[in-house]
Amino acid sequence: MPFAWSRASIVAAGVSCLAAACSSSAPAPGSGRGGKAVAASGRASELKTASDRTRSGRADAPAPSSPSTDRSEPAAPPPTSNPFAFSEFVHVAGRGEVAEDDLNEWRREYEGARAPDVEFSHPYFVVADAAGHAFVADKEAHAVRRIAVDGTISTWLGTNRAGNGPDAVTSGRQVAVTLPNGLWLRDDGTLYVLDLGNGKIRRVDAAGQASTLATIPGGIDTGRGLWVADDEKTVYFAAKSALRRWTPNGVETLADGFVSLGNLVVDRDGSLLFTDRGGNRVYRRRPTGEVVSVAGNGTTAGGGHGHAANESGLAGPRGLAVVGDGHYVIATHRGRRLWGLDPQGRLALLHDGAVGAGAVVAAPGTIGVIRGLSRAPNGDLWLAHGDAGQIHTLRRGP
């Protein structure tokens, strides 16, 4: 019998979207309207303002080669004219018991069980494919789980013990990994995983066979964000204070001097957007190499709903997803809020997890600390609540 998701009772508020949010002709965020620019340099002390760049007339870092954009977000037009139209939260997985750090809560009887009945060990990221399968980085349990369309869950990568499994093609369930975190999913079902403890980027094909795409010299320091080109010749990943790129020729730092980077996405124009949780900002790295602030004033206070994004406080932005041309959703870690960012560079409060309310969607009670956010091909958002040990979706729709 097909599994029926448990649904939270949702109240759709009367605000459909900001007037600015529904326009598609406005310039991209960060292209003006008070955005700050920083140099893609090696030290935080070398960060520069937009006026400094205007005087110099050029970006300090060489432009990277343009990434493949056939898998840039979003893949399909939204089902409604409002990119920020979401209808309900759905609890997909995790009992919600909070595990202690470094404690593996996975049990043998969880294999093949109903996903809401299992206990995660700090799920840090989740992605979903077009068929409805989802993959969860169960970090402290040293594994990646697969949630099938019937709602059952099983291990897809890892042995549930920390280790460094073989690089050659092997069944994913026989390849030990250590502290997996960032995930990227290709259209053909190939999953890529940041194996933090081993400094590797693993791939798992649609049949569950794992291999190693790359080993990063010196390891990956607190990596989270991950993006892989379809031809596997370019990989972007966030490593604590640095945005880095891997190619078959080696690894280079594209920008650094940040505090604690979170998720990243690649936009249609080839630019990279990424969050700095510790710096309370969201940045864009343009194809020219220039890095500009698109949201956050560097603090947790000020501005907010309807205000300019660069003048608003963001309490630890961590998750990031593209939901339409020039439209993005930002998830804050400490604030437990979902913000919409429109092409005019203004914010709309979509959900406030601290009070269970919002301008666009609302839910009773609270949602947990958001550690990972991704957009599925059907337009739904998937949220990983690491500290609460749960996975939710936020459904598209009026």
Side-chain angles (χ1 to χ4, degrees):
M1 177 179 179
F3 174 73
W5 302 118
S6 60
R7 298 170 183 268
S9 175
I10 301 299
V11 179
V15 179
S16 60
C17 74
L18 296 175
C22 297
S23 168
S24 60
S25 59
S31 60
R33 300 186 64 83
K36 295 182 179 179
V38 299
S41 63
R43 298 186 300 277
S45 61
E46 295 177 2
L47 298 181
K48 298 183 178 181
T49 66
S51 58
D52 292 331
R53 277 194 192 283
T54 302
R55 288 193 294 269
S56 67
R58 60 185 295 274
D60 293 344
S65 58
S66 297
S68 302
T69 57
D70 54 335
R71 276 290 291 121
S72 297
E73 304 280 0
T80 72
S81 60
N82 176 14
F84 299 142
F86 296 97
S87 61
E88 61 180 352
F89 282 97
V90 179
H91 173 219
V92 176
R95 293 196 307 219
E97 298 181 11
V98 181
E100 298 178 7
D101 288 344
D102 302 322
L103 183 62
N104 188 339
E105 298 290 343
W106 193 256
R107 303 174 183 176
R108 183 175 300 178
E109 57 265 31
Y110 289 163
E111 297 291 342
R114 296 172 71 256
D117 297 337
V118 306
E119 186 174 352
F120 289 116
S121 302
H122 289 90
Y124 267 49
F125 208 81
V126 57
V127 292
D129 63 20
H133 307 103
F135 301 87
V136 180
D138 196 5
K139 185 181 177 184
E140 303 292 345
H142 311 293
V144 175
R145 316 296 177 192
R146 178 181 182 268
I147 304 173
V149 293
D150 66 356
T152 58
I153 191 169
S154 59
T155 300
W156 195 242
L157 174 68
T159 62
N160 300 308
R161 294 177 180 272
N164 187 3
D167 296 327
V169 177
T170 309
S171 171
R173 297 184 65 168
Q174 298 177 13
V175 177
V177 295
T178 301
L179 302 175
N181 197 337
L183 303 175
W184 177 254
L185 187 61
R186 210 165 68 186
D187 281 345
D188 66 359
T190 302
L191 179 71
Y192 299 89
V193 181
L194 276 180
D195 182 358
L196 296 185
N198 297 309
K200 294 180 177 181
I201 299 168
R202 307 272 190 176
R203 69 159 77 81
V204 189
D205 66 20
Q209 295 296 302
S211 57
T212 297
L213 172 61
T215 299
I216 307 302
I220 305 172
D221 186 7
T222 321
R224 295 187 181 97
L226 177 66
W227 183 92
V228 182
D230 282 356
D231 61 7
E232 297 187 340
K233 292 183 179 179
T234 303
V235 175
Y236 296 113
F237 62 97
K240 197 172 182 177
S241 64
L243 178 66
R244 310 190 73 191
R245 176 174 62 192
W246 172 92
T247 69
N249 296 322
V251 179
E252 62 179 320
T253 297
L254 301 179
D256 70 1
F258 305 102
V259 182
S260 181
L261 297 183
N263 300 162
L264 66 84
V265 295
V266 176
D267 215 343
R268 285 181 177 271
D269 65 352
S271 61
L272 281 74
L273 284 90
F274 53 98
T275 59
D276 185 358
R277 175 173 63 93
N280 300 311
R281 290 186 186 273
V282 180
Y283 294 94
R284 176 191 297 273
R285 184 184 189 273
R286 294 171 174 156
T288 61
E290 182 184 31
V291 178
V292 296
S293 171
V294 297
N297 60 15
T299 74
T300 61
H305 181 72
H307 290 262
N310 269 322
E311 298 173 2
S312 298
L314 295 175
R318 192 163 193 158
L320 184 63
V322 186
V323 295
D325 287 342
H327 297 82
Y328 313 92
V329 172
I330 301 166
T332 59
H333 176 94
R334 281 179 290 162
R336 292 181 289 168
R337 290 175 173 173
L338 294 175
W339 294 97
L341 173 63
D342 70 18
Q344 283 72 35
R346 290 188 175 274
L347 292 179
L349 180 61
L350 307 184
H351 180 74
D352 188 342
V355 299
V360 178
V361 293
T366 64
I367 59 175
V369 170
I370 304 170
R371 291 191 178 270
L373 174 71
S374 67
R375 176 185 178 274
N378 67 356
D380 291 349
L381 296 180
W382 285 74
L383 296 85
H385 306 297
D387 295 0
Q390 290 187 325
I391 302 296
H392 285 83
T393 61
L394 179 53
R395 294 283 176 83
R396 280 286 293 157

